[in-house]
Amino acid sequence: MTSPERTPGHDGHDDQDRYDSHDDDRIGRARVTDSPELLAYYEELAKYQAGALWTVANEIEPWYPQPRSVPVLWRYADLRPLVHKALPLVKADDAGRRVVMLVNPGRRELSAAVGLLYTGLQIMGPGEAMTAHRHQASALRFVHEGTGAWTVVDGQKLKVGPRDFAITPNNTWHEHGNEADDAPVIWQDGLDIPLVNTLDANFYEVHPELYQRPGPVTDSSLLSYGGNLLPYGVEKWTRPYSPLFGWPWEPSYHALCRLARATEGSPFDGVVMEYTNPVTGGPVMPTMSAHLQLLRPGQATRAHRHTGSVAYTAAKGRGVSVIAGHRFEWQRGDVFVVPSWAWHEHANLDQGEDACLFSFNDFPVMHSLGLHREEAHPDGQQPTTTA
Ligand code: GTQ
């Protein structure tokens, strides 16, 4: 793991000044100086589970977001051997899910990788199957390696291979396993557990029969909804998540390459696409969305920042991202995170091949709650504070 010691304001430069205390001395900001009488008064309030707003006002109403999360990069090469180590150490049945979590140093108490998002690397040995459960938190998967992975989501069996993306929306029964007889599967889980727990809205149930009885057709969501056209004359899908549960790598990458032929792309993200609910055109789940983006050979994007947290996985090629002034080099399998409102920009370090980043985020929450904000870096790119 690499992470900066400290990220002042996640900006690398001028914003720190905007948060300096002298700025809080002005009229309109809390600026009460402690006195013996006031301290006694605060103690008196505390006895009644009460407090004086002005002692915390500047902290709870910051000028701009002050995430506890720091930018972090986890190298797949570092984690892979540790993930493999867990295989003989814990039985799948005992662990429930055999997962090495990626924990942000600023978010340990929530088991979050960034903001209110959780991610982890799950390993399943050949022939293993995990029991079925459901929870109010939503989950998604991005497969790192192994060809035998399957998941059953609400009775539908879906097979997933390397770099495929799949979802387990909230409250759907799900279980998974690895039907290969040689190699383990390692996939990355992304969940909104910290969000749902912060909202005190999580529930968890074990399947009464421990395993679901999958329907007769494997990949039925893909067969029904994965072809750019919608089934006609059937009851319209009205659940708040996508009826398509899986997005295989090949057609997704192909879609990106096709878009790259049609457009320049975004100055901040390169050629970028969102995995979508085919019925609504919106995000795949109500709380989390996922993107796939392509950086052309040698391309360097401009910096921007926005509310909402993002966890990236390098899916192809190699590159570098500058996040809050810190430089992170990545290659396939590496995971890195961008906290809310942190400046970030990406570059493809290869002059001959494109590079692809998979990512998931909490943007649907930002949008649906009216909290989305975005701005371009005034200088285009950030000064780098670390090599
Ligand atoms: O597969 O349902 O990494 O419930 C953490 C919690 C995976 C899962 C995780 C979970 C799951």
Side-chain angles (χ1 to χ4, degrees), residues 97 99 118 120 122 133 135 139 141 174 176 189 191 193 204:
R97 303 289 190 250
V99 184
Y118 158 104
Q122 174 157 188
H133 66 203
H135 34 68
R141 330 278 170 195
H174 57 283
H176 34 256
D189 293 317
L191 289 98
I193 288 174
Y204 185 98

Side-chain angles (χ1 to χ4, degrees), residues 143-149 160-162 178 180 183-186:
V143 182
H144 282 252
E145 59 179 282
T147 52
V160 285
N178 174 5
V185 161
I186 298 179

Side-chain angles (χ1 to χ4, degrees), residues 75-386:
R75 285 195 189 89
Y76 195 62
D78 293 336
L79 289 176
R80 188 175 184 272
L82 288 167
V83 172
H84 272 268
K85 235 180 189 171
L87 202 51
L89 279 178
V90 285
K91 290 201 194 88
D93 278 347
D94 293 343
R97 303 289 190 250
R98 195 193 289 105
V99 184
V100 170
M101 304 185 300
L102 311 190
V103 186
N104 196 291
R107 279 303 212 189
R108 282 188 214 285
E109 74 289 1
L110 292 175
S111 297
V114 63
L116 296 174
L117 298 173
Y118 158 104
T119 199
L121 295 173
Q122 174 157 188
I123 185 161
M124 294 178 281
E128 268 190 338
M130 314 283 158
T131 51
H133 66 203
R134 67 176 175 184
H135 34 68
Q136 191 105 297
S138 296
L140 54 83
R141 330 278 170 195
F142 185 76
V143 182
H144 282 252
E145 59 179 282
T147 52
W150 54 267
T151 168
V152 180
V153 181
D154 263 355
Q156 281 188 41
K157 183 169 177 177
L158 177 74
K159 295 186 64 166
V160 285
R163 297 188 283 191
D164 290 0
F165 168 62
I167 58 167
T168 308
N170 57 337
N171 291 320
T172 54
W173 291 112
H174 57 283
E175 65 201 83
H176 34 256
N178 174 5
E179 62 193 22
D181 49 22
D182 47 1
V185 161
I186 298 179
W187 75 23
Q188 187 182 339
D189 293 317
L191 289 98
D192 56 8
I193 288 174
L195 170 73
V196 178
N197 285 342
T198 299
L199 294 172
D200 290 333
N202 216 351
F203 291 85
Y204 185 98
E205 273 175 274
V206 173
H207 194 278
E209 294 174 31
L210 282 185
Y211 297 95
Q212 301 173 75
R213 286 169 215 220
V217 182
T218 298
D219 294 340
S220 69
S221 86
L222 213 55
L223 295 170
S224 308
Y225 289 97
N228 249 343
L229 293 87
L230 292 179
Y232 182 71
V234 299
E235 201 179 325
K236 196 170 157 63
W237 178 270
T238 53
R239 297 188 197 172
Y241 50 81
S242 167
L244 180 61
F245 293 163
W247 289 260
W249 167 256
E250 284 300 333
S252 308
Y253 175 60
H254 192 56
L256 211 49
C257 293
R258 287 162 61 95
L259 182 62
R261 284 165 51 196
T263 156
E264 243 339 272
S266 143
F268 309 110
D269 286 310
V271 181
V272 58
M273 296 184 97
E274 184 177 25
Y275 294 89
T276 47
N277 175 338
V279 173
T280 62
V284 292
M285 295 186 287
T287 54
M288 291 187 291
S289 181
H291 291 132
L292 191 61
Q293 69 195 77
L294 179 147
L295 303 167
R296 297 172 204 271
Q299 179 177 7
T301 69
R302 296 170 76 85
H304 74 156
R305 63 179 173 185
H306 46 67
T307 50
S309 306
V310 187
Y312 289 87
T313 305
K316 182 174 185 292
R318 61 192 188 91
V320 59
S321 297
V322 183
I323 309 163
H326 301 274
R327 213 181 121 85
F328 298 94
E329 282 200 22
W330 42 261
Q331 56 184 318
R332 183 159 166 198
D334 293 350
V335 177
F336 61 91
V337 292
V338 174
S340 184
W341 209 236
W343 293 117
H344 57 284
E345 63 204 69
H346 312 289
N348 180 350
L349 287 177
D350 198 297
Q351 298 300 324
E353 289 285 320
D354 56 32
C356 292
L357 292 168
F358 164 83
S359 61
F360 72 95
N361 60 66
D362 57 6
F363 297 170
V365 177
M366 295 298 142
H367 285 288
S368 57
L369 300 183
L371 302 175
H372 173 76
R373 273 217 207 188
E374 183 172 0
E375 68 183 29
H377 195 287
D379 308 326
Q381 273 158 340
Q382 302 162 76
T384 320
T385 52
T386 50

